[in-house]
Amino acid sequence: MTVRFQHSSDIWRDFPELVPAVISVRGVSAGVSVEDRIATFGELAAKRLATASEGELPEIQAWRRAFSKMGLKPTQYRCASESLLRRFRKEGSLPRLHPLIDLCNAVSIAYAIPVAVFDTSKIAEYVEVRHAAGDETYVTFSGEREHPPAGEVIFADAERMAHARRWTNRQSGYSAIRDTTTDVLIVAEALHETAQSDVESLMVTLIDELAALWPVTPRAAILSSSAPEFTV
């Protein structure tokens, strides 16, 4: 199955500082242990939080500015990495959901960069980060259906399913990773001053971790406005 990922020209126009990384992996499973790796990345996050709150980190501040630019209250709708860091700071750990999700969440808090993971089998043809038209469907984790308002930044596919709302704020339950998931699309995005080098480092880290845990050969790319498309 071929799946394409890209950001719309409007997103690149409005956020030229954007640096996205995309990783495609085929052959993951739920039967691995990631506890040692989670602990290592958790220590990195804890060191940063020992000297600054998550809201003071440049990675998070950049997303707060982006959310404000989109007309959202940044402390009401937080990017995924800020929400994870906030929970980690308060509770000292993150919930365990699935080895791949747990690993990506740990890497996300270590880098303070949002990392989204989608079950590729649930994606129709492509995923495009774009402004909603208002007729797309978003499925919550409890199974409720919502329709993001026109203009909201969503992850949309060819069947007008919204796989994430408010850009990096809230993923859909429809394409969430389950124990039966084998093929995934991982997306990391950043907007801060050192995003290019940080996202490249995050991507290499994740690729190494994935290859060490599963018998997989990840495919990956850093996208840009001049090379905005990734095809699996």
Side-chain angles (χ1 to χ4, degrees):
M1 180 178 64
T2 300
V3 173
R4 191 171 76 253
F5 178 88
Q6 64 186 41
H7 293 75
S8 72
S9 58
D10 288 350
I11 297 297
W12 285 113
R13 178 199 65 208
D14 295 342
F15 301 94
E17 68 274 30
L18 172 65
V19 180
V22 188
I23 305 173
S24 169
V25 191
R26 294 179 175 177
V28 300
S29 65
V32 300
S33 174
V34 295
E35 290 303 316
D36 290 347
R37 289 166 164 81
I38 289 174
T40 298
F41 292 118
E43 289 172 4
L44 294 174
K47 285 181 182 178
R48 295 195 73 185
L49 292 174
T51 57
S53 69
E54 64 276 4
E56 296 173 305
L57 300 177
E59 299 90 340
I60 303 303
Q61 290 180 340
W63 277 110
R64 286 190 174 191
R65 290 192 294 271
F67 275 47
S68 294
K69 191 172 182 178
M70 292 187 291
L72 301 171
K73 293 181 179 180
T75 54
Q76 180 180 2
Y77 299 110
R78 305 174 192 273
C79 75
S81 55
E82 180 176 0
S83 295
L84 288 172
L85 281 164
R86 195 163 181 256
R87 184 165 186 170
F88 181 77
R89 174 175 54 80
K90 290 182 176 182
E91 301 179 9
S93 64
L94 296 175
R96 301 296 188 262
L97 303 170
H98 179 286
L100 177 60
I101 296 300
D102 300 342
L103 172 67
C104 288
N105 283 347
V107 170
S108 178
I109 63 172
Y111 283 88
I113 291 173
V115 177
V117 190
F118 306 98
D119 185 328
T120 310
S121 70
K122 297 293 186 178
I123 297 171
E125 297 183 31
Y126 63 81
V127 172
E128 183 177 39
V129 182
R130 61 167 174 80
H131 293 97
D135 60 351
E136 297 87 357
T137 299
Y138 171 91
V139 181
T140 69
F141 275 83
S142 61
E144 297 176 357
R145 290 179 172 260
E146 302 174 351
H147 299 287
E152 181 179 305
V153 177
I154 61 172
F155 281 57
D157 71 13
E159 294 181 354
R160 309 191 78 75
M161 293 296 296
H163 295 278
R165 288 197 61 183
R166 305 181 196 94
W167 204 345
T168 56
N169 168 243
R170 188 178 172 212
Q171 280 190 239
S172 168
Y174 179 74
S175 50
I177 306 306
R178 295 172 172 81
D179 287 351
T180 54
T181 298
T182 58
D183 300 350
V184 302
L185 193 69
I186 303 172
V187 180
E189 298 162 292
L191 299 157
H192 59 288
E193 186 176 352
T194 59
Q196 188 71 37
S197 59
D198 292 342
V199 170
E200 288 177 358
S201 175
L202 182 155
M203 183 179 74
V204 171
T205 296
L206 256 183
I207 288 172
D208 289 346
E209 294 291 339
L210 292 165
L213 287 162
W214 290 278
V216 298
T217 304
R219 291 185 58 242
I222 300 288
L223 304 184
S224 66
S225 57
S226 59
E229 186 177 304
F230 177 87
T231 301
V232 178

